Amino acid sequence: MSNTANILSMENLQVHFAGRGRILDRVLARPVAAVRAVDGIDLTIGRGEIVAVVGESGSGKSTVGRVITKLIQPTGGKLFFAGRDVTSVEGFSALRSYRHRVQMIFQDAYQALNPRHTIFDIVAEGVRSLRLVADDDELAERVAGSLSSAGLNPPEDFFARFPHELSGGQRQRVVIAGALAVEPELIVADEPVSMLDVSIRAQILQVLTELRTQRNMALLFITHDLPVAWSIADRIAVMYLGRVVEVGTADQITFNPRHPYTIALSKATPKAHPATASEAISALDGEVPSAARMPTGCRFHPRCPVAVDHCGKEDPPAVAVGPNHEAACWLLTK
Ligand code: SF4
């Protein structure tokens, strides 16, 4: 059941892709297991809330963003937006109206911007296609307001410029302005600062935080970087191989992680203590296993330094480990 206090609810959300298998599988026409990119996620985002989804590559975090923005369809479970079931929204007009309310910001601002369009036209594109303003004056006002909110001031100085004339940080601000211009209720930002210098990152995170305060806009922030997630989010959901393994407030996940994977992830964050760093490298050694060849039982057990026998047999349920704090690990079940 959806709750209208939440702008978005995912209930047992799944995205399974048809597996391609190895060459021999195809030659022998052997059945191939589906790739379970997202495999049963329950997560909510409140109105005006910032939720970060954190995980390594292959965890399914970007797929979650793509399902929410309707770039791909879920294969199971339910998705509710503002209390309405939008699991199967499709068709030009329904998608147009949904995308008015849910916008996406991608990692690579340069790729996202048409190099032949001026900054004015880029920011105005969504407003024009959704016919959100009555005339050119209103359009110019909307574009200027969006550029200014994204920290590009004075906004008129950017109207006639092209993407190649801007720095990386300014280009990411243009992408944010384009999303803001249609006045969405939710923005999904997929690694929006990972390609930027550290000093610029802080400025972009500040812009996104201020937008929530000014516009009560919700944000789903996708990142591989736990400290970045802590700096911006109210709550953090940690993903591993298509599942949320721990969810809690940003402080709980950062300073009191309970799931062995979250603990390993937080230790893997570069620190000044060599002993901690080497411990972390052993805990997160190697790649995340492929979602096409899922381990049985707890998915983290092939890498988990504290796994017990039972871990390879059965998937652990999520249990409460504190107020609004849940983790899925056999060691935490009573
Ligand atoms: Fe490690 Fe077992 Fe907990 Fe999974 S269930 S995180 S393998 S201890």
PDB file of all heavy atoms in Angstrom, residues 58-77:
ATOM      1  N   GLY A  58      27.581  -2.608 -10.484  1.00  0.00           N
ATOM      2  CA  GLY A  58      26.990  -3.947 -10.538  1.00  0.00           C
ATOM      3  C   GLY A  58      26.009  -4.199  -9.409  1.00  0.00           C
ATOM      4  O   GLY A  58      25.407  -5.263  -9.332  1.00  0.00           O
ATOM      5  N   SER A  59      25.810  -3.199  -8.540  1.00  0.00           N
ATOM      6  CA  SER A  59      24.887  -3.408  -7.411  1.00  0.00           C
ATOM      7  C   SER A  59      23.426  -3.223  -7.834  1.00  0.00           C
ATOM      8  O   SER A  59      22.519  -3.613  -7.110  1.00  0.00           O
ATOM      9  CB  SER A  59      25.216  -2.439  -6.274  1.00  0.00           C
ATOM     10  OG  SER A  59      25.036  -1.103  -6.718  1.00  0.00           O
ATOM     11  N   GLY A  60      23.207  -2.575  -8.966  1.00  0.00           N
ATOM     12  CA  GLY A  60      21.835  -2.342  -9.433  1.00  0.00           C
ATOM     13  C   GLY A  60      21.333  -0.950  -9.108  1.00  0.00           C
ATOM     14  O   GLY A  60      20.199  -0.600  -9.431  1.00  0.00           O
ATOM     15  N   LYS A  61      22.183  -0.099  -8.534  1.00  0.00           N
ATOM     16  CA  LYS A  61      21.709   1.222  -8.092  1.00  0.00           C
ATOM     17  C   LYS A  61      21.268   2.110  -9.271  1.00  0.00           C
ATOM     18  O   LYS A  61      20.253   2.792  -9.181  1.00  0.00           O
ATOM     19  CB  LYS A  61      22.757   1.925  -7.214  1.00  0.00           C
ATOM     20  CG  LYS A  61      24.090   2.180  -7.891  1.00  0.00           C
ATOM     21  CD  LYS A  61      25.119   2.684  -6.888  1.00  0.00           C
ATOM     22  CE  LYS A  61      26.397   3.169  -7.551  1.00  0.00           C
ATOM     23  NZ  LYS A  61      27.082   2.207  -8.437  1.00  0.00           N
ATOM     24  N   SER A  62      22.026   2.076 -10.378  1.00  0.00           N
ATOM     25  CA  SER A  62      21.626   2.902 -11.529  1.00  0.00           C
ATOM     26  C   SER A  62      20.358   2.363 -12.181  1.00  0.00           C
ATOM     27  O   SER A  62      19.538   3.124 -12.706  1.00  0.00           O
ATOM     28  CB  SER A  62      22.744   2.967 -12.579  1.00  0.00           C
ATOM     29  OG  SER A  62      23.816   3.700 -12.050  1.00  0.00           O
ATOM     30  N   THR A  63      20.175   1.035 -12.138  1.00  0.00           N
ATOM     31  CA  THR A  63      18.949   0.450 -12.701  1.00  0.00           C
ATOM     32  C   THR A  63      17.730   0.945 -11.922  1.00  0.00           C
ATOM     33  O   THR A  63      16.678   1.226 -12.498  1.00  0.00           O
ATOM     34  CB  THR A  63      19.033  -1.093 -12.673  1.00  0.00           C
ATOM     35  OG1 THR A  63      20.246  -1.487 -13.286  1.00  0.00           O
ATOM     36  CG2 THR A  63      17.869  -1.737 -13.398  1.00  0.00           C
ATOM     37  N   VAL A  64      17.886   1.094 -10.602  1.00  0.00           N
ATOM     38  CA  VAL A  64      16.780   1.636  -9.794  1.00  0.00           C
ATOM     39  C   VAL A  64      16.410   3.028 -10.313  1.00  0.00           C
ATOM     40  O   VAL A  64      15.230   3.350 -10.513  1.00  0.00           O
ATOM     41  CB  VAL A  64      17.184   1.696  -8.294  1.00  0.00           C
ATOM     42  CG1 VAL A  64      16.154   2.480  -7.493  1.00  0.00           C
ATOM     43  CG2 VAL A  64      17.331   0.297  -7.730  1.00  0.00           C
ATOM     44  N   GLY A  65      17.425   3.873 -10.559  1.00  0.00           N
ATOM     45  CA  GLY A  65      17.166   5.225 -11.073  1.00  0.00           C
ATOM     46  C   GLY A  65      16.459   5.195 -12.417  1.00  0.00           C
ATOM     47  O   GLY A  65      15.546   5.980 -12.679  1.00  0.00           O
ATOM     48  N   ARG A  66      16.848   4.252 -13.272  1.00  0.00           N
ATOM     49  CA  ARG A  66      16.256   4.175 -14.607  1.00  0.00           C
ATOM     50  C   ARG A  66      14.815   3.683 -14.568  1.00  0.00           C
ATOM     51  O   ARG A  66      13.990   4.073 -15.393  1.00  0.00           O
ATOM     52  CB  ARG A  66      17.110   3.277 -15.514  1.00  0.00           C
ATOM     53  CG  ARG A  66      18.371   3.964 -15.914  1.00  0.00           C
ATOM     54  CD  ARG A  66      19.373   3.082 -16.606  1.00  0.00           C
ATOM     55  NE  ARG A  66      20.530   3.894 -16.955  1.00  0.00           N
ATOM     56  CZ  ARG A  66      20.632   4.570 -18.096  1.00  0.00           C
ATOM     57  NH1 ARG A  66      19.689   4.478 -18.998  1.00  0.00           N
ATOM     58  NH2 ARG A  66      21.681   5.326 -18.335  1.00  0.00           N
ATOM     59  N   VAL A  67      14.525   2.838 -13.589  1.00  0.00           N
ATOM     60  CA  VAL A  67      13.131   2.374 -13.473  1.00  0.00           C
ATOM     61  C   VAL A  67      12.263   3.528 -12.989  1.00  0.00           C
ATOM     62  O   VAL A  67      11.164   3.757 -13.512  1.00  0.00           O
ATOM     63  CB  VAL A  67      13.026   1.210 -12.463  1.00  0.00           C
ATOM     64  CG1 VAL A  67      11.577   0.854 -12.223  1.00  0.00           C
ATOM     65  CG2 VAL A  67      13.729   0.003 -12.986  1.00  0.00           C
ATOM     66  N   ILE A  68      12.764   4.266 -12.005  1.00  0.00           N
ATOM     67  CA  ILE A  68      11.956   5.360 -11.448  1.00  0.00           C
ATOM     68  C   ILE A  68      11.673   6.407 -12.522  1.00  0.00           C
ATOM     69  O   ILE A  68      10.583   6.970 -12.578  1.00  0.00           O
ATOM     70  CB  ILE A  68      12.679   5.998 -10.239  1.00  0.00           C
ATOM     71  CG1 ILE A  68      12.759   4.991  -9.102  1.00  0.00           C
ATOM     72  CG2 ILE A  68      11.978   7.268  -9.779  1.00  0.00           C
ATOM     73  CD1 ILE A  68      13.625   5.433  -7.955  1.00  0.00           C
ATOM     74  N   THR A  69      12.667   6.686 -13.381  1.00  0.00           N
ATOM     75  CA  THR A  69      12.460   7.710 -14.407  1.00  0.00           C
ATOM     76  C   THR A  69      11.839   7.130 -15.682  1.00  0.00           C
ATOM     77  O   THR A  69      11.718   7.816 -16.681  1.00  0.00           O
ATOM     78  CB  THR A  69      13.788   8.400 -14.749  1.00  0.00           C
ATOM     79  OG1 THR A  69      14.779   7.397 -14.960  1.00  0.00           O
ATOM     80  CG2 THR A  69      14.222   9.306 -13.635  1.00  0.00           C
ATOM     81  N   LYS A  70      11.494   5.851 -15.619  1.00  0.00           N
ATOM     82  CA  LYS A  70      10.758   5.199 -16.717  1.00  0.00           C
ATOM     83  C   LYS A  70      11.587   5.062 -17.992  1.00  0.00           C
ATOM     84  O   LYS A  70      11.051   5.062 -19.109  1.00  0.00           O
ATOM     85  CB  LYS A  70       9.455   5.948 -17.039  1.00  0.00           C
ATOM     86  CG  LYS A  70       8.437   5.846 -15.925  1.00  0.00           C
ATOM     87  CD  LYS A  70       7.801   4.500 -15.943  1.00  0.00           C
ATOM     88  CE  LYS A  70       7.044   4.177 -14.694  1.00  0.00           C
ATOM     89  NZ  LYS A  70       6.750   2.752 -14.577  1.00  0.00           N
ATOM     90  N   LEU A  71      12.906   4.982 -17.818  1.00  0.00           N
ATOM     91  CA  LEU A  71      13.740   4.683 -18.975  1.00  0.00           C
ATOM     92  C   LEU A  71      13.692   3.185 -19.253  1.00  0.00           C
ATOM     93  O   LEU A  71      13.940   2.736 -20.366  1.00  0.00           O
ATOM     94  CB  LEU A  71      15.186   5.137 -18.724  1.00  0.00           C
ATOM     95  CG  LEU A  71      15.345   6.650 -18.610  1.00  0.00           C
ATOM     96  CD1 LEU A  71      16.754   7.025 -18.204  1.00  0.00           C
ATOM     97  CD2 LEU A  71      14.992   7.336 -19.928  1.00  0.00           C
ATOM     98  N   ILE A  72      13.412   2.404 -18.191  1.00  0.00           N
ATOM     99  CA  ILE A  72      13.129   0.980 -18.367  1.00  0.00           C
ATOM    100  C   ILE A  72      11.928   0.617 -17.500  1.00  0.00           C
ATOM    101  O   ILE A  72      11.635   1.326 -16.528  1.00  0.00           O
ATOM    102  CB  ILE A  72      14.335   0.066 -18.014  1.00  0.00           C
ATOM    103  CG1 ILE A  72      14.871   0.396 -16.626  1.00  0.00           C
ATOM    104  CG2 ILE A  72      15.414   0.141 -19.036  1.00  0.00           C
ATOM    105  CD1 ILE A  72      16.030  -0.498 -16.220  1.00  0.00           C
ATOM    106  N   GLN A  73      11.271  -0.464 -17.850  1.00  0.00           N
ATOM    107  CA  GLN A  73      10.082  -0.885 -17.095  1.00  0.00           C
ATOM    108  C   GLN A  73      10.472  -1.945 -16.077  1.00  0.00           C
ATOM    109  O   GLN A  73      11.337  -2.782 -16.341  1.00  0.00           O
ATOM    110  CB  GLN A  73       9.030  -1.493 -18.039  1.00  0.00           C
ATOM    111  CG  GLN A  73       8.337  -0.494 -18.936  1.00  0.00           C
ATOM    112  CD  GLN A  73       7.349   0.411 -18.198  1.00  0.00           C
ATOM    113  OE1 GLN A  73       7.274   0.443 -16.981  1.00  0.00           O
ATOM    114  NE2 GLN A  73       6.591   1.182 -18.947  1.00  0.00           N
ATOM    115  N   PRO A  74       9.843  -1.937 -14.899  1.00  0.00           N
ATOM    116  CA  PRO A  74      10.104  -3.021 -13.943  1.00  0.00           C
ATOM    117  C   PRO A  74       9.516  -4.325 -14.470  1.00  0.00           C
ATOM    118  O   PRO A  74       8.567  -4.314 -15.255  1.00  0.00           O
ATOM    119  CB  PRO A  74       9.376  -2.561 -12.676  1.00  0.00           C
ATOM    120  CG  PRO A  74       8.341  -1.595 -13.143  1.00  0.00           C
ATOM    121  CD  PRO A  74       8.833  -0.986 -14.425  1.00  0.00           C
ATOM    122  N   THR A  75      10.077  -5.445 -14.044  1.00  0.00           N
ATOM    123  CA  THR A  75       9.518  -6.741 -14.450  1.00  0.00           C
ATOM    124  C   THR A  75       8.714  -7.366 -13.317  1.00  0.00           C
ATOM    125  O   THR A  75       8.128  -8.425 -13.478  1.00  0.00           O
ATOM    126  CB  THR A  75      10.648  -7.712 -14.877  1.00  0.00           C
ATOM    127  OG1 THR A  75      11.638  -7.750 -13.841  1.00  0.00           O
ATOM    128  CG2 THR A  75      11.296  -7.284 -16.163  1.00  0.00           C
ATOM    129  N   GLY A  76       8.705  -6.724 -12.156  1.00  0.00           N
ATOM    130  CA  GLY A  76       7.905  -7.221 -11.036  1.00  0.00           C
ATOM    131  C   GLY A  76       7.810  -6.174  -9.950  1.00  0.00           C
ATOM    132  O   GLY A  76       8.547  -5.189  -9.951  1.00  0.00           O
ATOM    133  N   GLY A  77       6.877  -6.379  -9.019  1.00  0.00           N
ATOM    134  CA  GLY A  77       6.700  -5.440  -7.909  1.00  0.00           C
ATOM    135  C   GLY A  77       5.887  -4.224  -8.320  1.00  0.00           C
ATOM    136  O   GLY A  77       5.302  -4.191  -9.414  1.00  0.00           O
TER     137      GLY A  77
END
